[in-house]
Amino acid sequence: MLFGSLGIAIISLFLGDVLEGLLDSLFDSVGEFLNPLLLFSTLSVIGGSGVLLTKYTDMNNLYVLILSLFIGAGSYFLIYYFLVTPMSNAEASTSISIFDLEGKVGEVITTIPANGMGEIFIESTNGSRNETAMSFDGVEIKQGTEILVIQVIDNVLYVSELEEF
């Protein structure tokens, strides 16, 4: 049981997406709680603890089985709540929200009229982006002017001219 489940756990680690696609209908109904990698890892822990308890203790085989099952159940919940759940909630992209642009400095690439919209260019470590902008102060901001993003409302950036001291 130890080597078989360990081998399947390692295979599912590398081919997890393929197995997940094949077993998609089964595991969608029970959720992420019963994913194959987690199940076979738990079986590996049960088998490994059974081997160690049998070899290094004088306990009865029934007690070894019961204790191994408890150790496996404990490892299942620890792995699920401390590895699977946080990793499934982790964001895999480097994109940023438009609201993260508040307080950033950029440059006007299309003149922003006093009561209209223009376009600004903001450069960051995640890449550069062009966004629609309006004047926060209600004044015209010319092309090439450095600006500061003050606020984001309805996916429009409200900017003010950046003044140097």
Side-chain angles (χ1 to χ4, degrees):
M1 183 167 107
L2 171 66
F3 294 116
S5 59
L6 189 59
I8 293 173
I10 290 172
I11 289 171
S12 68
L13 179 66
F14 293 112
L15 301 175
D17 291 336
V18 174
L19 291 175
E20 189 175 323
L22 293 174
L23 303 172
D24 200 24
S25 61
L26 172 69
F27 290 117
D28 275 351
S29 62
V30 294
E32 187 69 27
F33 196 69
L34 291 178
N35 72 33
L37 181 60
L38 185 58
L39 287 174
F40 292 118
S41 299
T42 302
L43 288 175
S44 298
V45 169
I46 292 171
S49 62
V51 167
L52 291 174
L53 288 172
T54 302
K55 185 171 184 175
Y56 294 112
T57 66
D58 293 330
M59 291 185 355
N60 184 351
N61 287 340
L62 180 63
Y63 293 133
V64 168
L65 176 64
I66 293 170
L67 188 57
S68 294
L69 289 173
F70 278 118
I71 291 171
S75 71
Y76 185 91
F77 287 105
L78 287 174
I79 293 169
Y80 179 75
Y81 286 110
F82 291 111
L83 287 177
V84 173
T85 301
M87 290 178 76
S88 65
N89 293 335
E91 192 170 321
S93 73
T94 58
S95 65
I96 60 171
S97 167
I98 193 167
F99 296 101
D100 293 335
L101 297 176
E102 289 181 357
K104 301 285 184 195
V105 175
E107 182 181 342
V108 176
I109 56 175
T110 304
T111 301
I112 303 171
N115 294 323
M117 292 189 184
E119 192 173 8
I120 62 169
F121 176 77
I122 297 177
E123 197 170 339
S124 69
T125 56
N126 295 339
S128 56
R129 54 194 293 176
N130 299 346
E131 295 291 338
T132 305
M134 291 184 73
S135 175
F136 183 76
D137 304 316
V139 296
E140 182 178 303
I141 305 174
K142 299 248 185 234
Q143 180 180 359
T145 306
E146 272 197 308
I147 51 89
L148 176 68
V149 178
I150 305 296
Q151 191 175 17
V152 178
I153 301 173
D154 295 329
N155 290 329
V156 176
L157 281 64
Y158 286 81
V159 299
S160 285
E161 187 174 337
L162 186 63
E163 299 174 2
E164 305 245 350
F165 293 104

